[in-house]
Amino acid sequence: MFSSTATALALSLALSLGAPCSSALAAAQASSVFFDVAIDGEPAGRLLVDLLGRGSAADSSDASPSSSSSSSVLAPVGVARFAELAEDRDGVGYVRSKIDGIEKDRVIRSSGVASLAYSDGSPSRIPGGDTVEDLDRELDAQQRANSQNPGSAPRHDRAGAVSLVVREPPGTPPPKTRLVAINGKFVTVEEPRKGAPNGTAFVVTMAPAPELDATNLVVGTLREGQELVARLSELPVSSNRTESAFFKIAKATGDRRADAAAKFFYRPFQKVVIVNSGKV
Ligand SMILES: *[C@@H]1O[C@H](CO)[C@@H](O)[C@H](O)[C@H]1NC(C)=O
Ligand SMILES: *[C@@H]1O[C@H](CO)[C@@H](O)[C@H](O)[C@H]1NC(C)=O
């Protein structure tokens, strides 16, 4: 299916990025990934996602690799990470994770994965590792390309865009900082915020969602499974109570229960679980 040139290209790309080679290369072969979804334990169907930059339909937007100044608009680290997590090697990945956000006719959102480290205790070999730095850089590249030349990089301008959540929405207060002494010098470090995006949760759009361009790194395009997405879109979910009096007061008074409650907005009442996933 892959010519040796394509493989060599993927290889040199992975090497030139200094990505963790074994895992990046293992994932570099696939052009698509699939997710088998169950609703309350009943098989509901499959999502098939073409990966960006892998010679698949995902590249057939106005954003062709040759027209862009930089290959990082095709998010090689983000794509390799997404493929690796879909493969669920050693149980590190999307199998048994949930679809826990459903905004009707707009977007479905996965819960992300709980662990990025394999059981051998070595530092994460998942492309991008346990920080979102590489993904953040690739998101920057997509944003820069699109602001210079709209449509020259992938973006959330259609149904079926698939992207990793990398940043918090604009307007999120900056993380708390504290001073620590390192080698006798005081430096400011940011307190990691609980629940901050870690580049594992992904979304599938059901319509253009341009506001996601600010936070999400596009890594692919939904090729098959539109009916499944439409069916998920119809599931009853807990509502967004941002406008409720309780929520407004809680939020205004800094009541932490407001933030806790917000995590449950759009959560389906049924259990929507990825029961199997992998590369194609
Ligand atoms: C990543 O974030 C998701 C969503 O907040 C969370 O469920 C998951 O446990 C996190 N995983 C890691 C490895 O931090
Ligand atoms: C809920 O709706 C408000 C507008 O009413 C919006 O600003 C907010 O982002 C929504 N919450 C979530 C979690 O999407």
Side-chain angles (χ1 to χ4, degrees), residues 15 52 59 82 110 122 155 174-175 194 222 278:
L15 291 177
L52 211 60
D59 304 336
F82 184 60
S110 92
S122 59
R155 52 183 178 166
K194 237 178 126 209
L222 186 70

Side-chain angles (χ1 to χ4, degrees), residues 240 242-243 265-266:
N240 175 348
T242 307
E243 299 302 322
F265 293 168
Y266 303 113

